[in-house]
Amino acid sequence: MRGAVLVLALVAVGTAPVLAQRSRENRDVPWFQAHPQILDETLRRCQRDARLAASWECQNAEAAGASRMGRPLPNTLPRAGQGRQAPPVDSSGLPEPDYNPRTNPFGFQSLKRACQERGPGSSMFLPYCYQLDRYPEERDRGR
């Protein structure tokens, strides 16, 4: 009888960690994408402790974090109604490049040259040729 209780106790102690982990949610990549705050916390924890980096949870968090690359961070773009006008956005939802000759003289010259010559490599500038009309005094300078 005493041996049976001891075996039962060992089995209970041995299976408790397994049962505790099984009750936890399945945190796969789509789950992390749906919970960005928990994703950020998990990434910080995984990046601080190298032992955790090999866990499935950290690998899924890393994959979900990588899927956000190239997207603007939420609430970082200025919004209209906060004292300034929101910048115009292009077809991908990102702010358009600004070709102001005072703040971006090299960009303005590159845009001007690309719109005049329309040679190889100018295709990325051509959708923004209309911005030259914003600065006619600079556009006509040097002709």
Side-chain angles (χ1 to χ4, degrees):
M1 175 75 172
R2 197 170 178 188
V5 171
L6 182 61
V7 169
L8 186 60
L10 287 175
V11 169
V13 169
T15 59
V18 174
L19 292 175
Q21 286 184 349
R22 288 187 57 102
S23 65
R24 192 171 187 190
E25 291 180 78
N26 182 14
R27 294 184 175 188
D28 56 358
V29 174
W31 188 91
F32 276 116
Q33 289 171 335
H35 301 87
Q37 186 176 6
I38 296 173
L39 170 62
D40 292 337
E41 293 169 10
T42 305
L43 285 173
R44 277 194 295 277
R45 186 170 37 88
C46 293
Q47 291 166 356
R48 277 195 312 257
D49 190 351
R51 294 173 295 171
L52 293 176
S55 70
W56 287 108
E57 183 176 39
C58 288
Q59 290 179 9
N60 286 339
E62 289 287 346
S67 71
R68 297 189 305 188
M69 292 177 69
R71 295 182 188 158
L73 294 174
N75 301 323
T76 57
L77 298 175
R79 307 229 186 273
Q82 293 180 344
R84 56 186 156 173
Q85 185 178 3
V89 295
D90 62 8
S91 61
S92 65
L94 297 173
E96 282 186 348
D98 184 18
Y99 293 105
N100 185 334
R102 285 183 296 271
T103 59
N104 186 4
F106 179 73
F108 183 81
Q109 291 302 320
S110 298
L111 177 67
K112 182 176 164 183
R113 190 175 318 108
C115 293
Q116 288 173 350
E117 297 172 4
R118 297 186 184 267
S122 64
S123 61
M124 68 180 203
F125 290 101
L126 296 180
Y128 305 108
C129 286
Y130 71 91
Q131 287 195 22
L132 292 173
D133 296 335
R134 293 181 186 171
Y135 312 102
E137 65 281 349
E138 292 292 329
R139 180 192 64 212
D140 299 332
R141 187 178 290 174
R143 280 193 175 188

